[in-house]
Amino acid sequence: MKFENPWKQNPWFESVAVAQERARKRLPQPVYGALVAGSERGQSVTDNQAAFAELGLAPHVVGQLPERSQSTTVFGHTIGSPVIISPTGVQAVHPDGEVAVARAAAARGTIMGLSNFASKSVEEVTATGATTFFQMYWTGDRDTMIQRMTRAHDAGTKGLIATLDWSFSMGRDWGSPEIPEKVDLKAMIRLAPKVATKGRWMWQFGREFRETGRLPDLTAPNLAPPGGAAPTFFGAYYEWMTTPPPTWDDVAWMRETWQQISGTPFVLKGVCRVDDALRAVDAGVAGISVSNHGGNNLDGTPAAIRMVRPISEAVGDQIDVVMDGGVRRGSDVVKALALGAKAVMIGRAYLWGLAANGQAGVENVLDVLSGGVDSALRGLALSSTAELRPEHLLIPDGFDRALGLPEPADARS
């Protein structure tokens, strides 16, 4: 028997803010709460967005150009617009999860970042045709990491993103949402009051049960050992928690190992300091992402956009610099590029699009950002994002946060 969805798909939305509101209405409160919350008081997640509003643009009244290009080359790949899908774990906002996001990335010609905590396997995601970069935390022993890198390469990924800044702060002032160990009858009964009013979301996640008789799970298939079962989210977290933190020698080993296995770009995500960026260059990385983990790491870390210019100026053209954190509009993308980033990575923005309307919602978010970039280029009378420079912005005194500046040589003598 074929079941028809009684709820129509959401229509097109004109901004990321509208996508967020639709996601809020559609999702159970714990799921939506997990998307918007930051660590501790939420100082960093708030500053990620507020900092963009401190930057102004300097438009021309005449001289706008009829054709404008957003194409750029980053991490060895040419993409149509400087917006990349950042890897995010366990995408419980939609049953198609990372597969829907990857299809949207492929449709819009950009890079798909896939978390090793994802709810879909790397094989399923690369089968979409998306240019996929596999993301790894420093978890497990080296043999386990080699197995995961090899699997990612064999699946056809085009690069590796190492995220090493995660501290998983448990102290959220508003409380942390409940995440069940697994979706079984007991968990469903306990969580029923929180999801009973979210008919569309329940219908979507009931599809797998209607078609296969199996309940959706919360496992991490990309962490499954060869021939073994995938761990739950908490199992994956336990592995991370019991793995000693990496050293710079470990970063160099990870990069060298990936080069031996794949030969494709190695990107270090979560860089906030100039000295760390320079160490990353020494370690041989192809690129870095300036990021505070979306405000979900060490609260009080400055907004990512405040750290872009000092870091990009320090590393110059030795490696590609991207940033993530707080991007909600095309003008945000333009501001990041003007300060030295080659591209931006988005997380919450596309998750809201996914929740609002699946693959089409993610494409919608990418289109909204691309449209905003084009509008800004037109107003600035530029023909390409490659022409963006700090002088196209109004930057208040003291905006930048230059953390970890090397000590001048004369001061050390």
Side-chain angles (χ1 to χ4, degrees), residues 74-213:
V74 61
F75 308 145
H77 293 271
T78 300
I79 54 179
S81 181
V83 179
I84 298 170
I85 298 295
S86 186
T88 61
V90 192
Q91 296 179 4
V93 300
H94 191 279
D96 293 338
E98 294 83 0
V99 170
V101 177
R103 288 172 178 156
R108 294 299 181 266
T110 192
I111 294 170
M112 166 71 185
L114 176 69
S115 172
N116 66 353
F117 282 9
S119 61
K120 303 294 182 183
S121 71
V122 62
E123 291 83 7
E124 290 177 280
V125 169
T126 55
T128 65
T131 300
T132 304
F133 276 48
F134 187 64
Q135 177 265 351
M136 288 180 59
Y137 292 98
W138 183 262
T139 61
D141 58 28
R142 289 192 173 189
D143 287 342
T144 299
M145 291 184 223
I146 291 173
Q147 176 266 315
R148 290 168 181 164
M149 291 187 213
T150 302
R151 177 182 173 185
H153 167 68
D154 291 346
T157 58
K158 304 301 183 183
L160 188 75
I161 300 172
T163 302
L164 305 182
D165 66 329
W166 193 37
S167 64
F168 204 81
S169 172
M170 299 297 290
R172 293 181 172 184
D173 287 3
W174 41 82
S176 295
E178 179 182 2
I179 302 175
E181 178 73 14
K182 59 182 179 178
V183 182
D184 55 15
L185 182 60
K186 184 178 179 180
M188 293 174 66
I189 293 172
R190 185 176 70 255
L191 296 174
K194 297 180 180 179
V195 302
T197 60
K198 305 298 179 180
R200 289 176 177 170
W201 187 83
M202 290 178 64
W203 177 266
Q204 287 179 329
F205 274 87
R207 182 181 63 189
E208 183 173 346
F209 179 75
R210 295 190 298 271
E211 295 177 353
T212 68

Side-chain angles (χ1 to χ4, degrees), residues 111-336:
I111 294 170
M112 166 71 185
L114 176 69
S115 172
N116 66 353
F117 282 9
S119 61
K120 303 294 182 183
S121 71
V122 62
E123 291 83 7
E124 290 177 280
V125 169
T126 55
T128 65
T131 300
T132 304
F133 276 48
F134 187 64
Q135 177 265 351
M136 288 180 59
Y137 292 98
W138 183 262
T139 61
D141 58 28
R142 289 192 173 189
D143 287 342
T144 299
M145 291 184 223
I146 291 173
Q147 176 266 315
R148 290 168 181 164
M149 291 187 213
T150 302
R151 177 182 173 185
H153 167 68
D154 291 346
T157 58
K158 304 301 183 183
L160 188 75
I161 300 172
T163 302
L164 305 182
D165 66 329
W166 193 37
S167 64
F168 204 81
S169 172
M170 299 297 290
R172 293 181 172 184
D173 287 3
W174 41 82
S176 295
E178 179 182 2
I179 302 175
E181 178 73 14
K182 59 182 179 178
V183 182
D184 55 15
L185 182 60
K186 184 178 179 180
M188 293 174 66
I189 293 172
R190 185 176 70 255
L191 296 174
K194 297 180 180 179
V195 302
T197 60
K198 305 298 179 180
R200 289 176 177 170
W201 187 83
M202 290 178 64
W203 177 266
Q204 287 179 329
F205 274 87
R207 182 181 63 189
E208 183 173 346
F209 179 75
R210 295 190 298 271
E211 295 177 353
T212 68
R214 297 191 305 269
L215 291 170
D217 56 29
L218 295 176
T219 59
N222 296 310
L223 299 182
T232 65
F233 173 82
F234 290 101
Y237 170 65
Y238 178 78
E239 181 185 75
W240 168 81
M241 187 171 60
T242 55
T243 302
T247 65
W248 280 108
D249 288 340
D250 291 325
V251 174
W253 170 85
M254 197 176 194
R255 199 276 309 173
E256 291 166 4
T257 302
W258 178 249
Q259 288 302 300
Q260 293 169 6
I261 293 171
S262 176
T264 57
F266 178 93
V267 179
L268 182 62
K269 187 175 184 295
V271 177
C272 295
R273 297 169 55 103
V274 170
D275 50 0
D276 282 349
L278 294 173
R279 291 293 297 270
V281 172
D282 293 340
V285 307
I288 58 175
S289 178
V290 179
S291 168
N292 59 26
H293 211 109
N296 276 299
N297 189 26
L298 182 62
D299 196 31
T301 305
I305 189 63
R306 299 187 189 278
M307 302 180 286
V308 167
R309 184 163 58 164
I311 288 174
S312 62
E313 288 179 348
V315 302
D317 59 2
Q318 298 177 83
I319 59 175
D320 287 343
V321 175
V322 302
M323 66 80 61
D324 68 87
V327 174
R328 302 290 184 268
R329 301 161 188 85
S331 59
D332 296 340
V333 179
V334 164
K335 292 170 183 177

Side-chain angles (χ1 to χ4, degrees), residues 62-77:
V62 175
Q64 292 88 353
L65 303 172
E67 296 183 2
R68 298 166 293 278
S69 172
Q70 300 182 37
S71 177
T72 189
T73 300
V74 61
F75 308 145
H77 293 271

